[in-house]
Amino acid sequence: MSQDFRLDNIGMVNRNKKISFTFNDKKYFGYEGDTIASALIANGVHLVGRSFKYHRPRGFFGVGVDEPYAILQLERNNERDPNIRATEQEIFEGLEVKSVNCWPSVNFDIGAINNFLKMFFPAGFYYKTFMWPPSFWYKIYEPFIRMAAGFGEASIKHDKERYEHKYEYCDLLITGSGPSGLASAYAAAKNGARVILAEDKPRYGGSLLTSDVNIGNQTGVEWSEKIITELKSMSNVIVKNRSQVFGYYDHNMLVMSERIGDHLPKTQKYLPKQRLWYIRAKEVLISSGSIERPLVFGNNDTPGVMLSSAAKEYMKVYGVLVGKKPLIFTNNDSGYETAIEFKKNGVNPLILDTRKEPSSDIINEAKNLGIEIKFSYVVVAAKGYKKVKSADIAKISDNKKDLSNIENIECDCICVSGFWTPSIHLASQSGNKSEFNEKIDAFIPKKSKQKENTIGSANGKFTLEETINEAFDKGYEVSNKITENNNKVSIPTVVEKKSTDHDKFWCVPLPKGKSYKRFLDFQNDVAVTDIELALREGFRSIEHVKRYTTLGMATDQGKTSNLNGLQLVSDIENKVVPQVGHTTFRPPYTPVSIGAIVGREVGKHSKPTRKSPMHEWHEKNNAVFVDAGVWLRPRYYKQGNETLFEASKREAKNVRKNVGVCDVTTLGKIDVKGPDAAEFLNRVYTNAWLKLPVGKARYGVMLREDGIVMDDGTTTRISENHYHMTTTTAQAANVLSHLEYYLQLVWPELNVNVVSTTEQWAGAAIAGPNSRALLMKLFPNTDVSNEALTFMGYKEADLFGIPGKIYRISFSGELAYEVNVESDYGNFMWEKIIEVGKEFQIQPYGTEALSTLRIEMGHVAGSELDGRTIPHDASLEGLVSKKKDFIGKRSLSRSAFIKPDREKIVGVVPLDKTTSIPEGSYIVKDPKAKLPNPKLGHVSASCWSVEYDNPFSLAIIKDGKNMIGQKLFAMSPLKNKTIPVEIVSSHYVDPEGKRVRT
Amino acid sequence: MLYILCPHCGSRSQNEFAYGGDATVKRPELNKEISDQDWDNFVYLRKSPRGKHLELWHHISGCRQWIKVERDTSTHEIFKTYKADEITE
Ligand SMILES: [Zn+2]
């Protein structure tokens, strides 16, 4: 199709670069710099979608972020991108877009039957219809709504594009590069402020691109180009186009999405597709401009009805005519500017002005150009289904209540102008309570809440002279406050046409006997009758009316609908708009890609990965890794075709029989130093610490103030005032914060310092009956005999020239040692242990074998210390001192914690000695009891006991200490299993603890 | 996102800090008799005022110091920040 609606000598698109794209699989041509909307209109295409509720035909209504209709789905490199506004998306070679919300096609849409059934779709339709019966939801209502609704379909594929986050600080952030944004940026930048100027469109200049004005003897376009060029050359200024500041958050933090690659066929190398900027600004100037208001009349949603400012921009920026027989329907002078532009381009418009006898420069100019104008005239209804074909127009009485002289006239578009609504969204998000301005019938920001000021038409200043003067002043004033510089630039003189007052009339009454739909919210299909119904049904608060009717709740956030909705509510309620108030604006101002919000934190980057110094060795030796918090730990070392179960059994058995080595680098380590360190530990742990000799370790349990076990681990006295504390891998960070809290806030008089040393040390646990023999060979110069290095002893020793530390501690319950060396020597240590250990049949073991070993020994870990257990529950009450006070002690005497049948840890063995008990199973007395079956407790950890070669579990059950020997049942509704079990001691292997001491 | 003036490091974004609750709560002294009621108040009961609130923040990704912040809970305005051992007004 040729571009029948393209003008030859006007517009800013690049005529030298023709671009082809497809819309609904049909090929079209446009030019570089076109949006999908401008290119389609140039080709005479106005039908692009179907409305949300009634599936009425949808065309283009605006030219930018305010577009409520033309939401398309983009197909790009086999990726889908829904919720694309055709008025914002620039075309590129090979672009593929499709209509959404229509099936089977945009020209024949089955859902349009809703339009003829519209008595069934009143306000609150969804609440009223889909409530009962509840069973219908899943199978009938939801699939129906999902098929009929929605703005496109998200891709189910992984998004291969890159999105970035950026943090920036500046003196002054300016949102919008219209006249006020440019002027204030220039004034502030010249005064030495660090400025960021953000423009959401590709072109800078805002309204200057389309208005017929003169600034400092230059046209608006020339002036804006000059200012932008100079700003770009300044080192204290960042200028960004295609960048929308969409959220104003606390303490002057604003978030902006920069679309870097969206307008290109392929994202450029080394650049992300989009970048999200978190900007902390000392001051903000909101220069986001204003959006034209629609006028409300019958069938005002027909394709071809659009904002008059949009029609003008399509001509001036894109060189595109929205129609060749335009009707301009206006209540103010703005419509005349559009009419004049049509006339200049050889098209004869007809102006319908609701005002009686207005007079101004611009009206005179229109008259002089010979444009036909009808005063006190309105559009009653648009005619035509998929495109405007004609309009019923009428004379309106002075009181604006009665219509007369109704006639039908031919036209192919209706450009409406109901005056202007300042975009106060950002100011409102910052907490600025707006106020209603009678002069412009709209809300403008009131008192600054955060460090923000609103300028230009966003602040209700609708003449260029006011705007420019205010912006230069504000730019200087704000920058002076920050930089204390006094470089004031002179303000250029402005020449513009004077306009006269607008008419407050906005909604055309229905002629007798007609029931045209008059829409307020074009995206959510909310009509005048819906608001009337909601008010009849008793909804009063504007927030309730909004939710009940969905007015202003769509992705356009009611940019074109809010004020007319408020006007209607005020009219019906006989109130004035400020009494009704407006609904809250919330970020984001425009839809933001989920990818941009997530940024680089996807896949492996969603959290940091920590690896031990021995990681490469594990990898080379077929370790299968498991996430342990942010650490990667070997779960088991696979030999041949072994399963996890087989490998972990082999590894655990070898520890019990020979010797094994396990990477324990991930354990949290904290250095505790200072003259009061012993006293501090004595307050932190439940057991006694004052008499621990140098060179000895002790196992300790620490509580929260509510008596719940927080963590456990061993702490070793390295020297008089130096302790080496270990924590569990998971709790390392919390324990450090906990210690710092008490040292800094509760007991600042204690002379103690704590610091994390987790990453300083690489650790290897050597466990098994052969471990001492191995140790003797690793440390030939150190006496590691049972007498010289007793259980819970500590020694510094030389490991083939490397300084090492030996702790005789055991988690596996076997004779065991932990060897630490500085992290950089970790791999050396590990390889030496493996090499020297060969003759003792050493094997590395992973976390699965480690769990098996500790479970059958009855040693508690995270699955028992789960934030619900006190020391008694984990059989740690022997470690609770009765003599001294410590953190959380007072809580332990609370009634629930000392009741006789308090939960306690026990062992569980299946009667058949073969069925493994799923973790999380309930322990019950009678599996056939009426539901809900009273449970005694739950299974916290399960393993295959390598000592007895049968399944063994730990459980925490009510009155545990008196349940030993009882025959009960383990029930897992999840696995649908009921297993008869016997309750035994949790210390299943070596209950006296002989092995660790031999 | 709040912008918190750490008395040790300067103004830093909220994501460097962890919240620590009411800064006016005083832990009962060690080894002192205390009733169940008073202990429960200390462990569990916190006021949730609308308006000025003196609270603890921990600069975990910075200097690791606990600081006190006087903040308005409804507007997020921060009036003053203190070091852990500073006397608050
Ligand atoms: Zn700090």
Side-chain angles (χ1 to χ4, degrees), chain A residues 527-561:
Chain A
V528 170
T529 44
D530 293 315
I531 303 288
E532 288 169 349
L533 179 64
L535 292 168
R536 272 207 307 284
E537 290 184 357
F539 290 90
R540 286 295 174 271
S541 153
I542 190 66
E543 295 280 1
H544 291 159
V545 172
K546 165 181 166 175
R547 279 155 187 81
Y548 192 59
T549 63
T550 72
L551 174 80
M553 282 175 69
T555 59
D556 68 342
Q557 287 211 342
K559 290 183 179 72
T560 49
S561 66

Short mmCIF file of all heavy atoms in Angstrom, two decimals, chain A residues 527-561:
data_model
loop_
_atom_site.label_atom_id
_atom_site.label_comp_id
_atom_site.label_asym_id
_atom_site.label_seq_id
_atom_site.Cartn_x
_atom_site.Cartn_y
_atom_site.Cartn_z
N ALA A 527 -18.04 3.91 30.48
CA ALA A 527 -18.87 4.94 29.85
C ALA A 527 -19.57 5.77 30.93
O ALA A 527 -19.57 5.41 32.11
CB ALA A 527 -19.90 4.29 28.94
N VAL A 528 -20.18 6.85 30.49
CA VAL A 528 -20.90 7.74 31.40
C VAL A 528 -21.92 6.95 32.21
O VAL A 528 -22.04 7.11 33.43
CB VAL A 528 -21.59 8.87 30.59
CG1 VAL A 528 -22.55 9.66 31.46
CG2 VAL A 528 -20.53 9.79 29.97
N THR A 529 -22.64 6.03 31.55
CA THR A 529 -23.68 5.26 32.23
C THR A 529 -23.11 4.39 33.35
O THR A 529 -23.78 4.12 34.33
CB THR A 529 -24.41 4.35 31.23
OG1 THR A 529 -23.43 3.71 30.41
CG2 THR A 529 -25.37 5.13 30.37
N ASP A 530 -21.86 3.94 33.19
CA ASP A 530 -21.25 3.11 34.23
C ASP A 530 -21.04 3.90 35.53
O ASP A 530 -21.28 3.40 36.62
CB ASP A 530 -19.91 2.54 33.76
CG ASP A 530 -20.09 1.55 32.61
OD1 ASP A 530 -20.99 0.70 32.71
OD2 ASP A 530 -19.33 1.64 31.64
N ILE A 531 -20.57 5.13 35.37
CA ILE A 531 -20.36 5.98 36.55
C ILE A 531 -21.71 6.30 37.19
O ILE A 531 -21.87 6.22 38.41
CB ILE A 531 -19.65 7.29 36.15
CG1 ILE A 531 -18.32 7.01 35.45
CG2 ILE A 531 -19.45 8.19 37.37
CD1 ILE A 531 -17.22 6.51 36.32
N GLU A 532 -22.68 6.59 36.35
CA GLU A 532 -24.02 6.89 36.87
C GLU A 532 -24.57 5.71 37.66
O GLU A 532 -25.12 5.88 38.74
CB GLU A 532 -24.97 7.23 35.71
CG GLU A 532 -24.67 8.60 35.09
CD GLU A 532 -25.41 8.86 33.77
OE1 GLU A 532 -26.00 7.90 33.21
OE2 GLU A 532 -25.39 10.01 33.31
N LEU A 533 -24.37 4.51 37.12
CA LEU A 533 -24.87 3.31 37.80
C LEU A 533 -24.16 3.12 39.14
O LEU A 533 -24.79 2.83 40.16
CB LEU A 533 -24.65 2.09 36.90
CG LEU A 533 -25.09 0.75 37.50
CD1 LEU A 533 -26.60 0.73 37.73
CD2 LEU A 533 -24.68 -0.42 36.61
N ALA A 534 -22.83 3.29 39.14
CA ALA A 534 -22.07 3.11 40.38
C ALA A 534 -22.56 4.07 41.45
O ALA A 534 -22.71 3.69 42.62
CB ALA A 534 -20.58 3.32 40.12
N LEU A 535 -22.86 5.30 41.07
CA LEU A 535 -23.34 6.28 42.05
C LEU A 535 -24.74 5.91 42.52
O LEU A 535 -25.06 6.02 43.69
CB LEU A 535 -23.31 7.68 41.45
CG LEU A 535 -21.90 8.22 41.18
CD1 LEU A 535 -21.96 9.47 40.33
CD2 LEU A 535 -21.16 8.50 42.48
N ARG A 536 -25.58 5.41 41.58
CA ARG A 536 -26.93 4.97 41.97
C ARG A 536 -26.86 3.82 42.95
O ARG A 536 -27.65 3.68 43.84
CB ARG A 536 -27.70 4.50 40.74
CG ARG A 536 -28.46 5.60 40.01
CD ARG A 536 -29.67 5.03 39.26
NE ARG A 536 -29.40 3.93 38.36
CZ ARG A 536 -28.83 4.06 37.16
NH1 ARG A 536 -28.48 5.26 36.73
NH2 ARG A 536 -28.62 3.02 36.40
N GLU A 537 -25.84 2.97 42.78
CA GLU A 537 -25.72 1.80 43.67
C GLU A 537 -25.07 2.16 44.99
O GLU A 537 -24.80 1.29 45.80
CB GLU A 537 -24.94 0.70 42.95
CG GLU A 537 -25.75 0.09 41.82
CD GLU A 537 -25.07 -1.08 41.14
OE1 GLU A 537 -23.92 -1.39 41.51
OE2 GLU A 537 -25.69 -1.68 40.25
N GLY A 538 -24.75 3.41 45.17
CA GLY A 538 -24.32 3.85 46.50
C GLY A 538 -22.84 4.08 46.66
O GLY A 538 -22.38 4.37 47.76
N PHE A 539 -22.06 3.93 45.60
CA PHE A 539 -20.63 4.21 45.74
C PHE A 539 -20.42 5.72 45.77
O PHE A 539 -20.97 6.44 44.95
CB PHE A 539 -19.85 3.58 44.58
CG PHE A 539 -19.82 2.09 44.68
CD1 PHE A 539 -20.81 1.32 44.07
CD2 PHE A 539 -18.83 1.44 45.41
CE1 PHE A 539 -20.83 -0.06 44.20
CE2 PHE A 539 -18.83 0.07 45.53
CZ PHE A 539 -19.83 -0.69 44.92
N ARG A 540 -19.67 6.20 46.74
CA ARG A 540 -19.49 7.63 46.89
C ARG A 540 -18.02 8.04 46.77
O ARG A 540 -17.68 8.91 45.99
CB ARG A 540 -20.03 8.10 48.26
CG ARG A 540 -21.54 8.13 48.33
CD ARG A 540 -22.13 9.16 47.38
NE ARG A 540 -23.60 9.09 47.33
CZ ARG A 540 -24.29 8.33 46.50
NH1 ARG A 540 -23.67 7.54 45.64
NH2 ARG A 540 -25.61 8.33 46.52
N SER A 541 -17.15 7.39 47.54
CA SER A 541 -15.73 7.75 47.49
C SER A 541 -15.21 7.53 46.08
O SER A 541 -15.49 6.51 45.44
CB SER A 541 -14.95 6.89 48.48
OG SER A 541 -13.60 6.77 48.03
N ILE A 542 -14.43 8.50 45.60
CA ILE A 542 -13.91 8.39 44.23
C ILE A 542 -13.01 7.15 44.10
O ILE A 542 -12.95 6.51 43.05
CB ILE A 542 -13.18 9.69 43.82
CG1 ILE A 542 -12.84 9.68 42.33
CG2 ILE A 542 -11.94 9.95 44.66
CD1 ILE A 542 -14.02 9.70 41.40
N GLU A 543 -12.35 6.76 45.21
CA GLU A 543 -11.49 5.57 45.18
C GLU A 543 -12.35 4.32 44.96
O GLU A 543 -11.94 3.38 44.30
CB GLU A 543 -10.69 5.43 46.47
CG GLU A 543 -9.68 6.55 46.72
CD GLU A 543 -8.37 6.39 45.93
OE1 GLU A 543 -8.24 5.42 45.17
OE2 GLU A 543 -7.49 7.27 46.08
N HIS A 544 -13.56 4.31 45.56
CA HIS A 544 -14.44 3.15 45.39
C HIS A 544 -15.03 3.12 43.98
O HIS A 544 -15.13 2.08 43.35
CB HIS A 544 -15.57 3.18 46.43
CG HIS A 544 -15.08 2.93 47.81
ND1 HIS A 544 -15.77 3.31 48.94
CD2 HIS A 544 -13.94 2.36 48.26
CE1 HIS A 544 -15.09 2.98 50.01
NE2 HIS A 544 -13.97 2.40 49.63
N VAL A 545 -15.44 4.31 43.52
CA VAL A 545 -16.01 4.39 42.16
C VAL A 545 -14.98 3.89 41.16
O VAL A 545 -15.29 3.13 40.23
CB VAL A 545 -16.44 5.84 41.84
CG1 VAL A 545 -16.84 5.98 40.38
CG2 VAL A 545 -17.59 6.27 42.75
N LYS A 546 -13.72 4.29 41.38
CA LYS A 546 -12.65 3.87 40.48
C LYS A 546 -12.55 2.35 40.43
O LYS A 546 -12.53 1.75 39.36
CB LYS A 546 -11.33 4.47 40.97
CG LYS A 546 -10.08 3.84 40.37
CD LYS A 546 -8.81 4.49 40.93
CE LYS A 546 -7.58 3.66 40.61
NZ LYS A 546 -6.33 4.29 41.02
N ARG A 547 -12.54 1.71 41.61
CA ARG A 547 -12.34 0.27 41.62
C ARG A 547 -13.56 -0.49 41.11
O ARG A 547 -13.44 -1.54 40.51
CB ARG A 547 -11.93 -0.19 43.01
CG ARG A 547 -10.45 0.05 43.23
CD ARG A 547 -10.06 0.21 44.68
NE ARG A 547 -8.66 0.60 44.78
CZ ARG A 547 -8.22 1.86 44.64
NH1 ARG A 547 -9.08 2.82 44.37
NH2 ARG A 547 -6.94 2.14 44.74
N TYR A 548 -14.73 0.07 41.40
CA TYR A 548 -15.96 -0.62 40.99
C TYR A 548 -16.15 -0.55 39.49
O TYR A 548 -16.56 -1.52 38.85
CB TYR A 548 -17.14 0.01 41.72
CG TYR A 548 -18.42 -0.79 41.62
CD1 TYR A 548 -18.47 -2.10 42.08
CD2 TYR A 548 -19.57 -0.24 41.07
CE1 TYR A 548 -19.64 -2.84 42.00
CE2 TYR A 548 -20.75 -0.96 40.98
CZ TYR A 548 -20.77 -2.27 41.44
OH TYR A 548 -21.93 -3.00 41.35
N THR A 549 -15.84 0.59 38.91
CA THR A 549 -16.06 0.75 37.47
C THR A 549 -14.80 0.48 36.65
O THR A 549 -14.87 0.39 35.44
CB THR A 549 -16.51 2.19 37.14
OG1 THR A 549 -15.46 3.08 37.51
CG2 THR A 549 -17.77 2.56 37.89
N THR A 550 -13.66 0.40 37.32
CA THR A 550 -12.32 0.29 36.72
C THR A 550 -11.91 1.55 35.97
O THR A 550 -10.99 1.53 35.17
CB THR A 550 -12.14 -0.94 35.78
OG1 THR A 550 -12.87 -0.71 34.58
CG2 THR A 550 -12.60 -2.22 36.43
N LEU A 551 -12.55 2.68 36.27
CA LEU A 551 -12.16 3.95 35.64
C LEU A 551 -10.73 4.31 36.03
O LEU A 551 -10.41 4.42 37.20
CB LEU A 551 -13.11 5.07 36.11
CG LEU A 551 -12.74 6.48 35.66
CD1 LEU A 551 -13.17 6.73 34.23
CD2 LEU A 551 -13.37 7.53 36.57
N GLY A 552 -9.89 4.50 35.03
CA GLY A 552 -8.52 4.94 35.31
C GLY A 552 -7.61 3.85 35.83
O GLY A 552 -6.51 4.12 36.31
N MET A 553 -8.06 2.59 35.75
CA MET A 553 -7.24 1.52 36.32
C MET A 553 -6.43 0.76 35.27
O MET A 553 -5.73 -0.18 35.59
CB MET A 553 -8.12 0.53 37.09
CG MET A 553 -8.50 1.07 38.45
SD MET A 553 -9.63 0.00 39.31
CE MET A 553 -8.59 -1.40 39.66
N ALA A 554 -6.50 1.16 34.04
CA ALA A 554 -5.81 0.42 32.99
C ALA A 554 -4.34 0.83 32.93
O ALA A 554 -3.87 1.63 33.73
CB ALA A 554 -6.49 0.68 31.66
N THR A 555 -3.64 0.30 31.94
CA THR A 555 -2.20 0.53 31.87
C THR A 555 -1.88 2.00 31.57
O THR A 555 -0.77 2.45 31.80
CB THR A 555 -1.54 -0.32 30.77
OG1 THR A 555 -2.17 0.01 29.53
CG2 THR A 555 -1.73 -1.79 31.03
N ASP A 556 -2.86 2.76 31.06
CA ASP A 556 -2.60 4.19 30.80
C ASP A 556 -2.88 5.01 32.04
O ASP A 556 -2.72 6.23 32.02
CB ASP A 556 -3.43 4.68 29.62
CG ASP A 556 -4.93 4.72 29.94
OD1 ASP A 556 -5.34 4.06 30.91
OD2 ASP A 556 -5.67 5.42 29.24
N GLN A 557 -3.28 4.35 33.14
CA GLN A 557 -3.55 5.04 34.40
C GLN A 557 -4.49 6.21 34.24
O GLN A 557 -4.40 7.20 34.96
CB GLN A 557 -2.24 5.52 35.03
CG GLN A 557 -1.43 4.39 35.61
CD GLN A 557 -0.62 4.85 36.81
OE1 GLN A 557 -0.40 6.02 37.03
NE2 GLN A 557 -0.19 3.91 37.62
N GLY A 558 -5.39 6.12 33.29
CA GLY A 558 -6.39 7.17 33.14
C GLY A 558 -5.84 8.52 32.76
O GLY A 558 -6.38 9.55 33.16
N LYS A 559 -4.76 8.52 31.98
CA LYS A 559 -4.15 9.81 31.63
C LYS A 559 -5.14 10.73 30.91
O LYS A 559 -5.09 11.93 31.06
CB LYS A 559 -2.90 9.59 30.76
CG LYS A 559 -1.75 8.97 31.55
CD LYS A 559 -0.51 8.81 30.70
CE LYS A 559 0.63 8.22 31.51
NZ LYS A 559 0.45 6.80 31.83
N THR A 560 -6.03 10.12 30.10
CA THR A 560 -7.00 10.95 29.39
C THR A 560 -8.38 10.92 30.05
O THR A 560 -9.25 11.67 29.66
CB THR A 560 -7.16 10.46 27.93
OG1 THR A 560 -7.36 9.05 27.96
CG2 THR A 560 -5.93 10.79 27.11
N SER A 561 -8.58 10.05 31.03
CA SER A 561 -9.94 9.84 31.52
C SER A 561 -10.21 10.39 32.91
O SER A 561 -11.35 10.66 33.27
CB SER A 561 -10.26 8.35 31.54
OG SER A 561 -9.45 7.69 32.48
#
